[in-house]
Amino acid sequence: MDKETYGLIGYPLGHSFSRKYFTEKFIHDNINAEYLNFEIESVSGLKRIIEENKFLKGLNVTIPHKQNVIPLLDELDETASEIGAVNVIKITHDVEGKIHLKGFNTDVTGFKGSISPMLESWNKNALILGTGGVSKAINFALKSLGIETLFVSRTPKDGAITYKNINAETMNKYTVIVNASPVGMFPYTDAAPEIPYEHIGKRHVIFDTIYNPPATLFMKLAEQRGAKVKSGMEMLIGQAEAAWKIWNS
């Protein structure tokens, strides 16, 4: 029996949660499959990857390709289309052997499942730190939970404020703060988003989509102020399992 192939596209791929997670899953569940990292600086390399791996059934997509991969796909599911970002591609072949690529976004599923238990009735407004592909999924998920959102960007952008605009009033109103940027990710663990941490308190929910390190400086500074904090690990596991269901449905 031919070994099915799954993988991850992105650049760079110095540390891959997905490869480790799925490799261990395949061993534990006795699944005849492999998971490979495909480090491509340009998304144009996707065509070559598919051509060279004839048993490829699915791909995860990470930075910087979550948005620029979309024009190369044949179809988007409704959620991915609305978000405008993809982190999962399902690869199928029709009876004539033609390849069909369909994009999905399971970041929404992973994030929503992880943050929901943390929320209280007063958590009605959220700051999303960062404006990349994952931030779009975060925004979609929070709005589906009835939470109003505001993006924060390093540079002025339509529909976002900059970090220097965040003050005590902002922090008091926006009691959910999600870091959807790479600030604080290994190996730059001494960095944290530039927000006024002195205005964080017990009513705040602090979520970092980063999983390495397990506790970022962002999380530590917020926890010192009494906030609820969580890393992106649970979100990652949730989105990975959702991806597996898509690939095998």
Side-chain angles (χ1 to χ4, degrees), residues 71-102:
L72 303 182
L73 306 179
D74 299 298
E75 184 184 359
L76 294 180
D77 92 316
E78 187 176 343
T79 300
S81 179
E82 189 165 343
I83 293 169
V86 162
N87 77 317
V88 173
I89 300 172
K90 182 175 182 177
I91 303 168
T92 55
H93 301 256
D94 65 18
V95 291
E96 297 175 350
K98 185 180 178 182
I99 297 169
H100 184 86
L101 306 179
K102 184 172 181 179

Side-chain angles (χ1 to χ4, degrees), residues 174-215:
Y174 292 89
T175 56
V176 177
I177 306 177
V178 181
N179 180 30
S181 81
V183 176
M185 183 186 294
F186 179 84
Y188 306 107
T189 56
D190 58 348
E194 295 180 3
I195 61 173
Y197 291 91
E198 65 271 21
H199 299 303
I200 289 177
K202 293 180 179 179
R203 293 167 67 86
H204 280 87
V205 169
I206 303 297
F207 192 102
D208 202 329
T209 60
I210 291 171
Y211 68 92
N212 184 16

Side-chain angles (χ1 to χ4, degrees), residues 14 41 49-50 81 108 116 128 144 155 180 185 197 201 224-225:
E41 191 167 0
I49 289 168
I50 293 172
S81 179
V108 172
S116 292
I128 302 174
S144 74
T155 55
M185 183 186 294
Y197 291 91
Q224 288 171 8
R225 306 287 304 178

Side-chain angles (χ1 to χ4, degrees), residues 5-9 34-38 56 58-61 247:
T5 303
Y6 302 87
L8 172 69
I9 60 170
E34 62 180 348
Y35 192 100
L36 305 175
N37 280 351
F38 300 106
L56 190 62
L59 289 167
N60 289 119
V61 184
W247 293 331

